[in-house]
Amino acid sequence: MNAPLGCCGVPARGSSGAQLAGDLGSGGHTVSHVTADLGSLADVRAAAAEIRDRLDRGDLPPLRGFVGNAGMQYTNALTEGPDGFEATFAVNVLANHLFVRLLRDRFTAPARIVITASDTHFGDFKHNMGMVPGPAWKSPDVLARTGAFPEPDTAAGGRTAYSTSKLAAIYLVHEYARRLPAGIDAVAYNPGFVPGTGLARNAGPVSRFAMRRIMPVMTLTPFATSRSAAGRYLADVVLGTTHAPTGSYVDRSRADRSSRESYDPQREGELWEAAERFTAAYAARADTSQAT
């Protein structure tokens, strides 16, 4: 798939969307934004409905890409979102799934759905230098609720929720590859460790300082990726410059194998069914509002 993107839309929180759209549009491209808090499935539903309306009116060009790049890591596994789901799972898994669910009939082939994963899903020192515990898979009904992991009130619990949510993202990409129509590809993208982002904004002051001021030095080594490099790699995946068949896992600039644990058709099917069930009410409300 190699499709030009002359126009793009960005769901973003509050006033940051207008600023981001302006920054991205400074190169002569047309960039619009839709306000959405990805921690709220009602907000995701509203944003997807607005995108659908813009597409139907011809205000946007054909939809050929979706990038689920937003992610969140909390300092515990006890943070509950407004819909009653554990907040990491809600943002990193359910928000992306609801977007795909509500927009899948609007994609025009060739199109590509890219979901940002993480090499923390490997759960070994080689891939995350021991900074994040590996995933601890459980039933999706357990993962979707707070307190799913040991010591849920600690940073280790929050990081386990994060790595587990990234394993879940890969499972869903495999299901998308099976279920989406031909010509609509789904790819999981791993940027590697990217210091200097807002991922740790809920961490304590020492951790935030280290992520902003100290860890970026690691981008001079093979152990970390700069924000600009991660952005270029992501753009190459979305545009098809990086060869990646549907269902692939792309590690920065090339397709590679994800962890052995990430290939489990039974878990993939169970997660798909649960994600469909968890988002059903929001999808049904969107269908009803569109019908009226």
Side-chain angles (χ1 to χ4, degrees):
M1 176 260 187
N2 199 332
L5 292 179
C7 171
C8 69
V10 182
R13 297 184 70 173
S15 60
S16 64
Q19 179 180 345
L20 182 58
D23 292 344
L24 294 174
S26 61
H29 300 290
T30 301
V31 181
S32 60
H33 75 280
V34 176
T35 300
D37 176 356
L38 299 187
S40 164
L41 295 182
D43 262 31
V44 172
R45 179 191 67 226
E50 184 170 347
I51 293 169
R52 289 173 64 97
D53 288 344
R54 292 186 187 183
L55 288 165
D56 293 344
R57 293 195 305 265
D59 295 341
L60 294 176
L63 183 61
R64 295 188 183 274
F66 172 82
V67 182
N69 185 56
M72 183 57 69
Q73 183 180 124
Y74 290 89
T75 56
N76 59 65
L78 294 173
T79 304
E80 186 175 273
D83 307 297
F85 299 109
E86 192 276 321
T88 314
F89 192 85
V91 173
N92 298 0
V93 181
L94 295 183
N96 287 330
H97 183 70
L98 184 56
F99 262 125
V100 172
R101 179 173 185 168
L102 293 175
L103 296 176
R104 60 188 170 195
D105 65 336
R106 291 298 195 273
F107 285 101
T108 299
R112 176 163 285 184
I113 295 167
V114 180
I115 306 296
T116 297
S118 167
D119 47 13
T120 60
H121 87 276
F122 280 91
D124 56 19
F125 186 86
K126 174 183 176 181
H127 288 91
N128 63 56
M129 297 174 289
M131 293 188 296
V132 180
W137 191 258
K138 303 176 186 296
S139 161
D141 287 281
V142 174
L143 296 176
R145 307 301 173 184
T146 58
F149 307 103
E151 300 182 309
D153 58 333
T154 66
R159 291 170 183 164
T160 302
Y162 177 80
S163 62
T164 306
S165 75
K166 293 304 184 177
L167 176 61
I170 298 173
Y171 286 152
L172 283 180
V173 163
H174 293 165
E175 281 296 304
Y176 295 151
R178 296 186 186 103
R179 294 172 181 268
L180 292 172
I184 304 176
D185 295 344
V187 176
Y189 161 68
N190 167 46
F193 174 51
V194 186
T197 69
L199 180 64
R201 62 179 175 266
N202 288 315
V206 174
S207 295
R208 292 201 307 272
F209 178 82
M211 283 292 286
R212 286 199 312 268
R213 304 298 182 186
I214 300 174
M215 293 296 187
V217 177
M218 294 182 64
T219 60
L220 301 175
T221 75
F223 298 107
T225 308
S226 69
R227 289 183 294 174
S228 59
R232 289 195 302 272
Y233 294 146
L234 176 57
D236 286 342
V237 176
V238 177
L239 296 173
T241 305
T242 298
H243 176 69
T246 187
S248 294
Y249 175 81
V250 174
D251 183 2
R252 280 154 276 214
S253 61
R254 63 188 179 88
D256 202 352
R257 295 282 292 179
S258 50
S259 71
R260 180 179 299 180
E261 185 181 9
S262 69
Y263 299 94
D264 189 321
Q266 181 174 341
R267 288 183 181 179
E268 292 161 6
E270 290 173 351
L271 179 60
W272 170 275
E273 185 278 330
E276 288 282 283
R277 176 161 40 87
F278 296 150
T279 59
Y282 302 92
R285 291 175 200 167
D287 291 340
T288 300
S289 64
Q290 290 153 20
T292 58

